[in-house]
Amino acid sequence: MSSRERSRVVDAALRSLPSLAVFVVGLVVWEVWVNVRDVPAYLYPSASEVGSELLAEGPSLAADDLRWTMIEAVLGFLLGSFAAVLTAIVFVHAKFIERVLFPWAIVLQTVPIVAVAPLLTIWFGFTLQPKVIIAALICFFPVLVNTTKGFRAISSQALELMRILSATRWSIFWRLRVPSSLPYVFAGLKVASTLSVIGAIVAEFTGADRGIGFVIIQASYRLDTRLMFAGIALSSAAGVVFFNVIGALERLALRWPDARLEQ
Amino acid sequence: MTGTGIAIDGVGMQFGGGQGVTALDGIDLHISAGEFVALVGPSGCGKSTLLRIVSGLLEPTSGRVDVSGKTPDEARRDVDFGFVFQQPTLFPWLRVLGNVLLPDRVLGRRNPNRGPHREQVARELLRDVGLERFEDHYPGQVSGGMRQRVALARALSYDPKILLMDEPFGALDEFTRDRLNLQLLDVCNKTGSTVLFVTHSIQEAIFLADRVVMLSSRPGRVTRIAEVPFRKPRGLEVRYEPEFAALTGELRGLLEVEDEVELARRQL
Ligand SMILES: Nc1ncnc2c1ncn2[C@@H]1O[C@H](COP(=O)(O)OP(=O)(O)OP(=O)(O)O)[C@@H](O)[C@H]1O
Ligand SMILES: [Mg+2]
């Protein structure tokens, strides 16, 4: 590691220090509150109890259930984002199709996912498909909206330049629309990455024999709140990791100055 | 390569229908092959609009333009034009060198400068505009004047027959401007390109052009076409000739009259 890279790592660590501090303060408040109010442990486990549950069950949960949930989430994410980008490409090149289909994209977005999940379970059973489909559905809209916006976010001057060069549609698409849309696409993908984990878990609630959603719902039947908290903590940690993986890809892809959109 | 002439006949441009803005009105201008014509006029008089019409980016609402037997649109599709826009219009995701190479990438086999040395050609162009040390910078990392010079190098990179330049040196200091003016004359001398050059500086117009076209504002009309009496190649010293001062004074007077007319019109 060069000294410049090292100082970048140190910088990043220093920058995340305040966020970590908030986390620690939250844990302490939680611990103190549970102990002071003397609430029943089966309803409100303390932070330390959840911690020890995580230590005991975490590794096996992560290796098995969380792995499944993330496979579903990532597959759904890829499927939904891919479909959304394709749809955006069609929209940008055929305004008419956009006018016809965009209202339906909004309808699709307003359909309560929780209500669709049981239906898919009836159709597909306790398989991978319903989870992937739900995760894909939930990813579709944010990626579609951002990508369409990105394809349109080209200046009229840049388009004039391409016309002066007598560029083909194909060339305009690859050399102008795609690069200028990337910041928007990644903004959409980052939103979708966290949503995909939620989608997979919701789908697992309605019919699954493995996965974090399954673990949480089973634990709720047994009033095993410690395990529920552990599941929640694990799944959101996985969501954060997924989000940051996309963020890292974004930094790799968008290397020019001021490329990334403000979040 | 020989240049290509342009015939502009009765061109008018009205924006926004019936009672919209009349940007140009009855423009007649014949530019012969290899000629350098400068356009000077007050802000908003339609200079950029005229360049867009000549290059086929915009259809005039009246009149017609002929580019050596082709319509502007046909000439545009044959990539006869190099256009330096009023804004640099660089792609921020491409480095400076990548931006200069963009025409080559887009044109592919249609680029007359195509060959194993095209990267070398691009580097030389960048050196000519004084940017050899900035090839690997992104546009976001160089100054406005530098971006404008990248745009110039990009327009020259494929030897267009006709160069349309919209205030390309507006953002430059006097010293750099002089140098690029000389360079531009040199390039045109070599390639024989026809040039239509917009500027706000009467001195720059006279120094560069064979003819200076003065436009009035709203509607944009040709008020005067002045022949520049100096032969090419020219050196910076022509600016100290008495004829240079006389012509500068005369054309400046035209602009000032224009200003007074505008003022009087507003006071009515
Ligand atoms: N796309 C457009 N739609 C409507 N009006 C326009 C459009 N483009 C230009 N105009 C109008 O046409 C007139 C001429 O504009 P143009 O940009 O050609 O001026 P210009 O001579 O280049 O000015 P400047 O020296 O400030 O660049 C202006 O009044 C402007 O408002
Ligand atoms: Mg202009």
Side-chain angles (χ1 to χ4, degrees), chain B residues 53-66:
Chain B
I53 290 172
V54 167
S55 60
L57 292 174
L58 207 61
E59 272 288 315
T61 42
S62 60
R64 59 187 298 275
V65 178
D66 177 282

Side-chain angles (χ1 to χ4, degrees), chain A residues 157 160-161 163 166 179 256, chain B residues 52 76-77 89 92-93 154:
Chain A
Q157 294 248 333
E160 284 188 333
L161 171 70
R163 287 179 63 206
S166 189
W256 66 95
Chain B
R52 288 208 161 80
R76 178 180 65 75
R77 273 187 254 139
T89 320
W93 51 87
R154 180 182 62 194

Side-chain angles (χ1 to χ4, degrees), chain A residues 24-208:
Chain A
V24 170
V25 168
L27 285 184
V28 169
V29 169
W30 177 8
E31 187 75 27
V32 169
W33 181 74
V34 168
N35 285 318
V36 169
R37 296 288 305 272
D38 199 20
V39 289
Y42 67 92
L43 285 182
Y44 301 100
S46 70
S48 55
E49 283 169 330
V50 172
S52 61
E53 180 82 9
L54 268 175
L55 279 181
E57 296 293 328
S60 78
L61 279 180
D64 189 22
D65 295 285
L66 184 64
R67 188 166 65 89
W68 274 109
T69 303
M70 288 314 288
I71 287 173
E72 295 155 3
V74 171
L75 284 178
F77 169 84
L78 292 175
L79 184 71
S81 307
F82 185 68
V85 170
L86 283 188
T87 311
I89 292 174
V90 171
F91 279 7
V92 163
H93 289 97
K95 195 93 192 149
F96 173 74
I97 297 183
E98 181 181 13
R99 263 213 316 279
V100 174
L101 289 188
F102 192 70
W104 295 109
I106 297 174
V107 169
L108 196 67
Q109 171 68 6
T110 55
V111 165
I113 294 292
V114 205
V116 179
L119 201 56
L120 290 173
T121 305
I122 294 173
W123 291 339
F124 294 102
F126 283 25
T127 59
L128 201 63
Q129 282 100 314
K131 291 87 176 177
V132 173
I133 292 172
I134 292 290
L137 279 177
I138 213 168
C139 289
F140 182 76
F141 196 72
V143 178
L144 173 69
V145 170
N146 277 286
T147 307
T148 312
K149 191 168 153 199
F151 282 152
R152 298 246 154 83
I154 54 175
S155 71
S156 57
Q157 294 248 333
L159 205 54
E160 284 188 333
L161 171 70
M162 293 304 262
R163 287 179 63 206
I164 284 294
L165 296 171
S166 189
T168 56
R169 270 190 156 205
W170 178 255
S171 183
I172 291 175
F173 181 74
W174 281 110
R175 296 188 187 283
L176 179 56
R177 286 198 198 276
V178 168
S180 60
S181 74
L182 280 183
Y184 295 85
V185 174
F186 272 105
L189 290 181
K190 285 206 280 196
V191 174
S193 66
T194 54
L195 289 178
S196 70
V197 181
I198 296 172
I201 288 175
V202 165
E204 283 169 354
F205 280 179
T206 64

Side-chain angles (χ1 to χ4, degrees), chain B residues 142-197:
Chain B
V142 300
S143 74
M146 288 158 111
R147 278 177 226 155
Q148 199 58 355
R149 284 183 271 164
V150 178
L152 174 66
R154 180 182 62 194
L156 294 174
S157 71
Y158 54 101
D159 282 354
K161 298 195 182 92
I162 298 168
L163 267 175
L164 304 171
M165 308 176 83
D166 202 345
E167 288 180 51
F169 305 138
L172 299 181
D173 62 281
E174 211 167 325
F175 178 72
T176 315
R177 196 168 179 155
D178 284 350
R179 219 187 50 166
L180 287 175
N181 278 345
L182 286 172
Q183 219 128 38
L184 181 61
L185 284 182
D186 195 38
V187 167
C188 295
N189 189 35
K190 271 189 229 147
T191 60
S193 303
T194 308
V195 188
L196 194 48
F197 187 99

